[in-house]
PDB file of all heavy atoms in Angstrom:
ATOM      1  N   TRP A 258    -136.794 -64.965 -47.594  1.00 92.00           N
ATOM      2  CA  TRP A 258    -138.275 -65.096 -47.738  1.00 92.00           C
ATOM      3  C   TRP A 258    -138.880 -63.813 -47.151  1.00 92.00           C
ATOM      4  O   TRP A 258    -138.254 -62.849 -46.794  1.00 92.00           O
ATOM      5  CB  TRP A 258    -138.833 -66.301 -47.051  1.00 92.00           C
ATOM      6  CG  TRP A 258    -138.188 -67.527 -47.590  1.00 92.00           C
ATOM      7  CD1 TRP A 258    -137.364 -68.448 -46.947  1.00 92.00           C
ATOM      8  CD2 TRP A 258    -138.399 -68.168 -48.901  1.00 92.00           C
ATOM      9  NE1 TRP A 258    -137.009 -69.489 -47.781  1.00 92.00           N
ATOM     10  CE2 TRP A 258    -137.674 -69.361 -48.910  1.00 92.00           C
ATOM     11  CE3 TRP A 258    -139.181 -67.765 -50.094  1.00 92.00           C
ATOM     12  CZ2 TRP A 258    -137.594 -70.127 -50.078  1.00 92.00           C
ATOM     13  CZ3 TRP A 258    -139.160 -68.593 -51.166  1.00 92.00           C
ATOM     14  CH2 TRP A 258    -138.362 -69.800 -51.147  1.00 92.00           C
ATOM     15  N   GLY A 259    -140.248 -63.877 -46.911  1.00 89.00           N
ATOM     16  CA  GLY A 259    -140.851 -62.815 -46.292  1.00 89.00           C
ATOM     17  C   GLY A 259    -141.842 -62.013 -47.187  1.00 89.00           C
ATOM     18  O   GLY A 259    -142.573 -61.151 -46.748  1.00 89.00           O
ATOM     19  N   LYS A 260    -141.722 -62.281 -48.496  1.00 91.00           N
ATOM     20  CA  LYS A 260    -142.605 -61.598 -49.490  1.00 91.00           C
ATOM     21  C   LYS A 260    -143.405 -62.662 -50.192  1.00 91.00           C
ATOM     22  O   LYS A 260    -143.374 -63.872 -49.983  1.00 91.00           O
ATOM     23  CB  LYS A 260    -141.811 -60.820 -50.437  1.00 91.00           C
ATOM     24  CG  LYS A 260    -140.898 -59.713 -49.848  1.00 91.00           C
ATOM     25  CD  LYS A 260    -140.109 -59.032 -50.967  1.00 91.00           C
ATOM     26  CE  LYS A 260    -139.238 -57.949 -50.292  1.00 91.00           C
ATOM     27  NZ  LYS A 260    -138.503 -57.162 -51.295  1.00 91.00           N
ATOM     28  N   SER A 261    -144.367 -62.171 -51.004  1.00 91.00           N
ATOM     29  CA  SER A 261    -145.251 -63.126 -51.746  1.00 91.00           C
ATOM     30  C   SER A 261    -144.390 -63.845 -52.727  1.00 91.00           C
ATOM     31  O   SER A 261    -143.286 -63.565 -53.125  1.00 91.00           O
ATOM     32  CB  SER A 261    -146.307 -62.320 -52.552  1.00 91.00           C
ATOM     33  OG  SER A 261    -147.087 -61.525 -51.584  1.00 91.00           O
ATOM     34  N   LYS A 262    -145.105 -64.947 -53.261  1.00 92.00           N
ATOM     35  CA  LYS A 262    -144.440 -65.764 -54.333  1.00 92.00           C
ATOM     36  C   LYS A 262    -143.954 -65.020 -55.462  1.00 92.00           C
ATOM     37  O   LYS A 262    -144.538 -64.076 -55.918  1.00 92.00           O
ATOM     38  CB  LYS A 262    -145.491 -66.796 -54.839  1.00 92.00           C
ATOM     39  CG  LYS A 262    -145.071 -67.599 -56.063  1.00 92.00           C
ATOM     40  CD  LYS A 262    -146.178 -68.485 -56.598  1.00 92.00           C
ATOM     41  CE  LYS A 262    -147.425 -67.810 -56.959  1.00 92.00           C
ATOM     42  NZ  LYS A 262    -147.183 -67.017 -58.215  1.00 92.00           N
ATOM     43  N   GLY A 263    -142.736 -65.298 -55.837  1.00 93.00           N
ATOM     44  CA  GLY A 263    -142.044 -64.542 -56.999  1.00 93.00           C
ATOM     45  C   GLY A 263    -141.332 -63.275 -56.736  1.00 93.00           C
ATOM     46  O   GLY A 263    -140.950 -62.590 -57.575  1.00 93.00           O
ATOM     47  N   GLU A 264    -141.435 -62.898 -55.397  1.00 93.00           N
ATOM     48  CA  GLU A 264    -140.839 -61.637 -54.978  1.00 93.00           C
ATOM     49  C   GLU A 264    -139.694 -61.773 -53.995  1.00 93.00           C
ATOM     50  O   GLU A 264    -139.188 -60.808 -53.468  1.00 93.00           O
ATOM     51  CB  GLU A 264    -141.916 -60.739 -54.349  1.00 93.00           C
ATOM     52  CG  GLU A 264    -143.031 -60.384 -55.335  1.00 93.00           C
ATOM     53  CD  GLU A 264    -144.117 -59.547 -54.666  1.00 93.00           C
ATOM     54  OE1 GLU A 264    -144.023 -59.398 -53.423  1.00 93.00           O
ATOM     55  OE2 GLU A 264    -145.025 -59.071 -55.336  1.00 93.00           O
ATOM     56  N   ASN A 265    -139.228 -63.066 -53.907  1.00 94.00           N
ATOM     57  CA  ASN A 265    -138.224 -63.358 -52.838  1.00 94.00           C
ATOM     58  C   ASN A 265    -136.886 -63.587 -53.615  1.00 94.00           C
ATOM     59  O   ASN A 265    -136.770 -63.515 -54.800  1.00 94.00           O
ATOM     60  CB  ASN A 265    -138.604 -64.597 -52.022  1.00 94.00           C
ATOM     61  CG  ASN A 265    -139.926 -64.352 -51.261  1.00 94.00           C
ATOM     62  OD1 ASN A 265    -139.929 -63.624 -50.279  1.00 94.00           O
ATOM     63  ND2 ASN A 265    -140.995 -64.934 -51.807  1.00 94.00           N
ATOM     64  N   LEU A 266    -135.792 -63.866 -52.773  1.00 94.00           N
ATOM     65  CA  LEU A 266    -134.488 -63.918 -53.277  1.00 94.00           C
ATOM     66  C   LEU A 266    -134.263 -64.984 -54.352  1.00 94.00           C
ATOM     67  O   LEU A 266    -133.664 -64.718 -55.385  1.00 94.00           O
ATOM     68  CB  LEU A 266    -133.530 -64.195 -52.070  1.00 94.00           C
ATOM     69  CG  LEU A 266    -132.014 -64.207 -52.475  1.00 94.00           C
ATOM     70  CD1 LEU A 266    -131.533 -62.846 -52.847  1.00 94.00           C
ATOM     71  CD2 LEU A 266    -131.246 -64.763 -51.269  1.00 94.00           C
ATOM     72  N   LEU A 267    -134.818 -66.151 -54.123  1.00 94.00           N
ATOM     73  CA  LEU A 267    -134.537 -67.238 -54.981  1.00 94.00           C
ATOM     74  C   LEU A 267    -135.695 -67.709 -55.896  1.00 94.00           C
ATOM     75  O   LEU A 267    -135.524 -68.763 -56.669  1.00 94.00           O
ATOM     76  CB  LEU A 267    -134.083 -68.478 -54.201  1.00 94.00           C
ATOM     77  CG  LEU A 267    -132.852 -68.247 -53.324  1.00 94.00           C
ATOM     78  CD1 LEU A 267    -132.536 -69.523 -52.397  1.00 94.00           C
ATOM     79  CD2 LEU A 267    -131.636 -67.893 -54.162  1.00 94.00           C
ATOM     80  N   ASP A 268    -136.805 -67.004 -55.865  1.00 94.00           N
ATOM     81  CA  ASP A 268    -137.925 -67.464 -56.673  1.00 94.00           C
ATOM     82  C   ASP A 268    -138.281 -66.493 -57.746  1.00 94.00           C
ATOM     83  O   ASP A 268    -139.416 -66.450 -58.317  1.00 94.00           O
ATOM     84  CB  ASP A 268    -139.125 -67.710 -55.763  1.00 94.00           C
ATOM     85  CG  ASP A 268    -139.606 -66.434 -55.058  1.00 94.00           C
ATOM     86  OD1 ASP A 268    -139.055 -65.305 -55.350  1.00 94.00           O
ATOM     87  OD2 ASP A 268    -140.619 -66.484 -54.314  1.00 94.00           O
ATOM     88  N   GLY A 269    -137.346 -65.671 -58.215  1.00 93.00           N
ATOM     89  CA  GLY A 269    -137.581 -64.731 -59.262  1.00 93.00           C
ATOM     90  C   GLY A 269    -137.691 -63.258 -58.834  1.00 93.00           C
ATOM     91  O   GLY A 269    -137.767 -62.387 -59.727  1.00 93.00           O
ATOM     92  N   GLY A 270    -137.661 -63.001 -57.557  1.00 95.00           N
ATOM     93  CA  GLY A 270    -137.853 -61.696 -57.094  1.00 95.00           C
ATOM     94  C   GLY A 270    -136.561 -60.817 -57.268  1.00 95.00           C
ATOM     95  O   GLY A 270    -136.671 -59.667 -57.459  1.00 95.00           O
ATOM     96  N   ALA A 271    -135.414 -61.445 -57.150  1.00 96.00           N
ATOM     97  CA  ALA A 271    -134.108 -60.745 -57.232  1.00 96.00           C
ATOM     98  C   ALA A 271    -133.683 -60.693 -58.758  1.00 96.00           C
ATOM     99  O   ALA A 271    -133.613 -61.653 -59.449  1.00 96.00           O
ATOM    100  CB  ALA A 271    -133.067 -61.463 -56.422  1.00 96.00           C
TER     101      ALA A 271
END
Side-chain angles (χ1 to χ4, degrees):
W258 303 109
K260 298 180 181 179
S261 301
K262 171 181 62 67
E264 297 178 354
N265 299 285
L266 183 68
L267 301 174
D268 63 0

